Structure formats: C-alpha cells, structure tokens
Amino acid sequence: MKKYLHEIMSQIDGIHAVLITDRDGVPVLKAATESAPELALRPGFLTTVGMATDQAGKLGMGKSQRIACIYGKYQVIHFNRFPLMVSMIASSTANTGMLLGLEAELSSLVQDLKAAVDVI
C-alpha cells in the first residue's frame, strides 16, 4: 500500500506526502519524501484538521468533505472519509486541481483501510 502511495505521489510535481490517519491523527499509512515538512507529519497537526472538519460541519452547510489550505510554501489538502482522514502535503505551487483529483484514485485504498479499521 505504501508503494502505491509513492506511485501516486510520482504523478504530481511538488507533492511531499500522503497520509491516511484516524480521527486522532494517528497514521494508518504514510508515504513522504525527504522534503516533507516534519511539523505537518506530526499527529498534533493532523488531529487539528479533524477538529477543524468537525467545526466546519457546524456551519449549517452539511459535513465538510474536503479542506484545502494554502500557506507560504506549502498547501495541505484533506479528504474526510470517516473514520479516516486523507491528508496531502505539497508545495504551494503544485496543481491543486490535480491534488483534489487524487481523491478518486485513492478511494479503493481508503475503503480497504476503513474495512481493516472497522475490524479492530
């Protein structure tokens, strides 16, 4: 599965990491390059995203499905696939549309991981 994530990462210039975590930010599966910012790979950062997703759902527009944050050097894309979160860290110049397009490509992997998490 990790090899598959690295293959997906090679399709888009500027992507540094793909992480699949539980709601507490605990990594279930992680693939990262050496250029990935260490802070963004920590559970504390990833937990905050889960909380932000929950808070965004309280805005009266339904559950948040995707969050895209663009910073000075990086962008972070999150897909809410309860009980899992998919997070991608890329350079701010990476093609955001292509990153969002990876959601469909990752769906079967996420489904397999959800089934494994549900068993635990």
Side-chain angles (χ1 to χ4, degrees), residues 25-75:
V26 177
V28 175
L29 185 61
K30 173 173 77 171
T33 65
E34 292 178 9
S35 58
E38 185 180 329
L39 179 63
L41 303 177
R42 292 184 182 167
F45 175 83
L46 299 167
T47 300
T48 304
V49 173
M51 290 186 294
T53 300
D54 292 341
Q55 291 301 313
K58 295 177 182 178
L59 295 173
M61 300 180 77
K63 285 192 172 193
S64 173
Q65 296 177 11
R66 294 168 205 86
I67 296 177
C69 302
I70 301 173
Y71 304 97
K73 291 183 180 181
Y74 301 103
Q75 61 180 303

Coordinates of all heavy atoms in Angstrom, one line a residue, residues 25-75:
G25 N -5.5 11.6 14.4 CA -4.2 12.0 13.8 C -3.2 10.9 13.8 O -2.0 11.1 13.4
V26 N -3.5 9.7 14.3 CA -2.6 8.6 14.3 C -2.5 8.0 12.9 O -3.5 7.6 12.3 CB -3.1 7.5 15.3 CG1 -2.1 6.3 15.3 CG2 -3.2 8.0 16.7
P27 N -1.3 8.0 12.4 CA -1.1 7.5 11.0 C -1.4 6.0 10.8 O -1.0 5.2 11.6 CB 0.4 7.7 10.7 CG 0.9 8.7 11.7 CD 0.0 8.5 12.9
V28 N -2.2 5.7 9.8 CA -2.6 4.3 9.5 C -1.6 3.9 8.3 O -1.1 2.8 8.3 CB -4.0 4.2 9.1 CG1 -4.4 2.8 8.6 CG2 -5.0 4.6 10.2
L29 N -1.4 4.9 7.4 CA -0.5 4.7 6.3 C 0.1 6.0 5.9 O -0.6 7.0 5.9 CB -1.3 4.1 5.1 CG -0.5 3.7 3.9 CD1 0.5 2.6 4.1 CD2 -1.5 3.2 2.8
K30 N 1.4 6.0 5.7 CA 2.1 7.3 5.4 C 3.2 7.0 4.3 O 3.9 6.1 4.4 CB 2.8 7.8 6.7 CG 3.6 9.0 6.5 CD 4.1 9.6 7.8 CE 5.2 8.8 8.4 NZ 5.8 9.5 9.6
A31 N 3.2 7.9 3.4 CA 4.3 8.0 2.4 C 4.8 9.4 2.3 O 4.0 10.3 2.1 CB 3.8 7.5 1.0
A32 N 6.1 9.6 2.4 CA 6.6 11.0 2.4 C 8.0 11.1 1.8 O 8.7 10.1 1.9 CB 6.7 11.6 3.9
T33 N 8.3 12.2 1.2 CA 9.6 12.4 0.6 C 10.4 13.1 1.7 O 9.9 13.5 2.7 CB 9.5 13.3 -0.6 OG1 9.1 14.6 -0.2 CG2 8.6 12.7 -1.7
E34 N 11.7 13.2 1.5 CA 12.6 13.9 2.4 C 12.2 15.4 2.5 O 12.6 16.0 3.5 CB 14.1 13.8 2.0 CG 14.6 12.4 2.1 CD 16.0 12.2 1.6 OE1 16.7 13.3 1.3 OE2 16.5 11.1 1.5
S35 N 11.6 16.0 1.5 CA 11.3 17.4 1.5 C 10.0 17.7 2.3 O 9.6 18.9 2.4 CB 11.2 17.9 0.1 OG 10.2 17.2 -0.6
A36 N 9.3 16.7 2.8 CA 8.0 16.9 3.5 C 8.3 17.7 4.8 O 9.3 17.3 5.6 CB 7.4 15.6 3.8
P37 N 7.5 18.7 5.1 CA 7.8 19.4 6.4 C 7.4 18.5 7.6 O 6.3 18.0 7.7 CB 6.8 20.6 6.3 CG 5.8 20.2 5.3 CD 6.4 19.2 4.4
E38 N 8.4 18.4 8.5 CA 8.2 17.5 9.6 C 7.0 17.8 10.5 O 6.3 16.9 10.9 CB 9.5 17.5 10.5 CG 9.4 16.5 11.6 CD 10.7 16.5 12.4 OE1 11.8 16.8 11.9 OE2 10.6 16.2 13.6
L39 N 6.8 19.1 10.7 CA 5.7 19.5 11.6 C 4.3 19.0 11.0 O 3.4 18.6 11.8 CB 5.6 21.0 11.7 CG 4.5 21.6 12.5 CD1 4.6 21.1 14.0 CD2 4.5 23.1 12.5
A40 N 4.1 19.0 9.7 CA 2.9 18.6 9.1 C 2.7 17.1 9.2 O 1.5 16.6 8.9 CB 2.8 19.1 7.6
L41 N 3.7 16.3 9.5 CA 3.6 14.9 9.6 C 3.3 14.4 11.0 O 3.0 13.3 11.3 CB 4.9 14.2 9.1 CG 5.3 14.6 7.7 CD1 6.6 13.9 7.4 CD2 4.2 14.2 6.7
R42 N 3.3 15.3 12.0 CA 3.0 15.0 13.4 C 1.5 14.8 13.7 O 0.7 15.6 13.1 CB 3.6 16.1 14.3 CG 5.1 16.2 14.2 CD 5.6 17.2 15.2 NE 7.1 17.2 15.1 CZ 7.8 18.2 15.6 NH1 7.2 19.1 16.3 NH2 9.1 18.2 15.5
P43 N 1.2 13.9 14.6 CA -0.2 13.7 14.9 C -0.9 14.9 15.5 O -2.1 15.1 15.2 CB -0.1 12.6 16.0 CG 1.1 11.8 15.7 CD 2.1 12.9 15.2
G44 N -0.2 15.8 16.2 CA -0.8 17.0 16.7 C -1.3 17.9 15.6 O -2.4 18.5 15.7
F45 N -0.6 18.1 14.5 CA -1.1 18.8 13.3 C -2.3 18.2 12.7 O -3.3 18.8 12.4 CB 0.1 19.0 12.3 CG -0.3 19.7 11.1 CD1 -0.4 21.1 11.0 CD2 -0.7 19.0 9.9 CE1 -0.8 21.7 9.8 CE2 -1.0 19.6 8.8 CZ -1.1 21.0 8.7
L46 N -2.2 16.9 12.5 CA -3.2 16.1 11.8 C -4.5 16.0 12.7 O -5.6 16.0 12.1 CB -2.7 14.7 11.5 CG -1.5 14.8 10.5 CD1 -0.8 13.4 10.4 CD2 -1.9 15.3 9.1
T47 N -4.4 16.0 14.0 CA -5.5 16.0 14.9 C -6.3 17.3 14.7 O -7.6 17.3 14.7 CB -5.1 15.8 16.3 OG1 -4.4 14.6 16.5 CG2 -6.3 15.8 17.3
T48 N -5.6 18.4 14.6 CA -6.2 19.7 14.5 C -7.1 19.7 13.2 O -8.2 20.3 13.3 CB -5.2 20.8 14.4 OG1 -4.3 20.7 15.6 CG2 -5.8 22.1 14.3
V49 N -6.7 19.0 12.2 CA -7.5 19.0 11.0 C -8.9 18.3 11.2 O -9.9 18.8 10.8 CB -6.8 18.3 9.8 CG1 -7.6 18.1 8.6 CG2 -5.5 19.1 9.5
G50 N -8.8 17.2 12.0 CA -10.1 16.5 12.3 C -11.0 17.4 13.1 O -12.2 17.4 12.8
M51 N -10.5 18.2 14.0 CA -11.3 19.1 14.8 C -11.9 20.2 13.9 O -13.0 20.6 14.0 CB -10.5 19.7 16.0 CG -10.2 18.6 17.0 SD -9.4 19.3 18.5 CE -7.8 19.8 17.9
A52 N -11.0 20.7 13.0 CA -11.5 21.8 12.1 C -12.6 21.3 11.2 O -13.6 22.0 10.9 CB -10.3 22.3 11.3
T53 N -12.5 20.0 10.7 CA -13.5 19.4 9.9 C -14.8 19.3 10.7 O -15.9 19.7 10.1 CB -13.1 18.0 9.4 OG1 -11.9 18.2 8.7 CG2 -14.1 17.4 8.6
D54 N -14.7 18.9 11.9 CA -15.9 18.8 12.8 C -16.6 20.2 13.0 O -17.8 20.4 12.9 CB -15.6 18.2 14.1 CG -15.2 16.7 14.0 OD1 -15.6 16.1 12.9 OD2 -14.6 16.2 14.9
Q55 N -15.8 21.2 13.2 CA -16.3 22.6 13.5 C -16.9 23.1 12.2 O -17.9 23.8 12.2 CB -15.1 23.5 14.0 CG -14.7 23.2 15.4 CD -15.8 23.2 16.4 OE1 -16.6 24.2 16.4 NE2 -15.9 22.2 17.2
A56 N -16.3 22.9 11.0 CA -16.8 23.4 9.8 C -18.2 22.8 9.5 O -19.0 23.4 8.9 CB -15.8 23.0 8.6
G57 N -18.4 21.5 10.0 CA -19.7 20.9 9.8 C -20.8 21.6 10.6 O -22.0 21.4 10.3
K58 N -20.4 22.4 11.5 CA -21.4 23.1 12.3 C -21.9 24.4 11.7 O -22.7 25.2 12.3 CB -20.9 23.4 13.7 CG -20.6 22.1 14.5 CD -20.0 22.4 15.8 CE -19.7 21.1 16.6 NZ -19.0 21.4 17.9
L59 N -21.4 24.7 10.5 CA -21.8 26.0 9.9 C -23.1 25.9 9.2 O -23.6 26.9 8.6 CB -20.7 26.3 8.8 CG -19.3 26.7 9.4 CD1 -18.3 26.9 8.2 CD2 -19.4 27.9 10.2
G60 N -23.8 24.8 9.3 CA -25.1 24.6 8.7 C -25.1 24.3 7.2 O -26.2 24.4 6.6
M61 N -24.0 23.9 6.7 CA -23.9 23.6 5.2 C -23.7 22.1 5.0 O -23.4 21.7 3.9 CB -22.9 24.4 4.6 CG -23.1 25.9 4.7 SD -21.9 26.9 3.9 CE -22.3 26.8 2.2
G62 N -23.8 21.3 6.0 CA -23.6 19.9 5.9 C -22.1 19.5 6.3 O -21.4 20.4 6.7
K63 N -21.8 18.3 6.3 CA -20.5 17.8 6.7 C -19.4 18.3 5.7 O -19.7 18.2 4.5 CB -20.4 16.3 6.8 CG -21.1 15.8 8.0 CD -20.8 14.3 8.3 CE -21.4 13.9 9.6 NZ -20.8 12.6 10.0
S64 N -18.3 18.6 6.2 CA -17.2 19.0 5.3 C -16.6 17.8 4.7 O -16.3 16.8 5.4 CB -16.1 19.7 6.2 OG -15.0 20.0 5.4
Q65 N -16.4 17.8 3.4 CA -15.8 16.6 2.7 C -14.4 16.9 2.4 O -13.6 15.9 2.3 CB -16.6 16.4 1.4 CG -18.0 16.0 1.7 CD -18.8 15.8 0.4 OE1 -18.2 15.8 -0.7 NE2 -20.1 15.6 0.5
R66 N -14.0 18.1 2.1 CA -12.6 18.4 1.7 C -12.2 19.8 2.3 O -13.0 20.7 2.4 CB -12.5 18.5 0.2 CG -12.7 17.3 -0.6 CD -12.9 17.5 -2.1 NE -13.6 16.5 -2.7 CZ -14.9 16.5 -2.8 NH1 -15.7 17.4 -2.3 NH2 -15.5 15.5 -3.4
I67 N -11.0 19.9 2.6 CA -10.4 21.1 3.1 C -9.1 21.4 2.4 O -8.3 20.5 2.3 CB -10.2 21.1 4.6 CG1 -11.5 21.0 5.4 CG2 -9.4 22.4 5.0 CD1 -11.3 20.9 6.9
A68 N -8.9 22.5 1.8 CA -7.7 22.9 1.1 C -7.1 24.2 1.8 O -7.8 25.2 1.9 CB -7.9 23.2 -0.3
C69 N -5.9 24.1 2.3 CA -5.3 25.2 3.0 C -4.0 25.5 2.2 O -3.2 24.6 2.0 CB -4.9 24.9 4.4 SG -6.4 24.4 5.4
I70 N -3.8 26.8 1.9 CA -2.6 27.1 1.1 C -1.8 28.1 2.0 O -2.3 29.2 2.4 CB -2.9 27.7 -0.2 CG1 -3.6 26.6 -1.0 CG2 -1.6 28.1 -1.0 CD1 -4.2 27.1 -2.4
Y71 N -0.6 27.8 2.3 CA 0.3 28.6 3.1 C 1.4 29.2 2.2 O 1.4 29.1 1.0 CB 0.9 27.7 4.2 CG -0.1 27.1 5.1 CD1 -0.5 25.7 4.8 CD2 -0.7 27.7 6.1 CE1 -1.4 25.1 5.6 CE2 -1.7 27.1 6.9 CZ -2.0 25.8 6.6 OH -3.0 25.1 7.4
G72 N 2.4 29.8 2.8 CA 3.5 30.4 2.1 C 4.2 29.5 1.1 O 4.3 29.7 -0.1
K73 N 4.7 28.4 1.7 CA 5.5 27.4 0.9 C 4.7 26.1 0.6 O 5.1 25.3 -0.3 CB 6.8 27.0 1.7 CG 7.8 28.1 1.8 CD 9.0 27.6 2.5 CE 10.1 28.6 2.6 NZ 11.3 28.1 3.3
Y74 N 3.7 25.9 1.3 CA 3.0 24.6 1.2 C 1.5 24.7 1.1 O 0.9 25.7 1.4 CB 3.3 23.7 2.5 CG 4.7 23.5 2.8 CD1 5.4 24.2 3.7 CD2 5.4 22.5 2.0 CE1 6.8 23.9 4.0 CE2 6.8 22.3 2.2 CZ 7.4 23.0 3.2 OH 8.8 22.8 3.4
Q75 N 0.9 23.6 0.6 CA -0.6 23.5 0.7 C -0.9 22.2 1.2 O -0.1 21.2 1.1 CB -1.2 23.7 -0.7 CG -0.8 22.7 -1.8 CD -1.5 23.0 -3.1 OE1 -2.7 23.0 -3.1 NE2 -0.7 23.2 -4.1

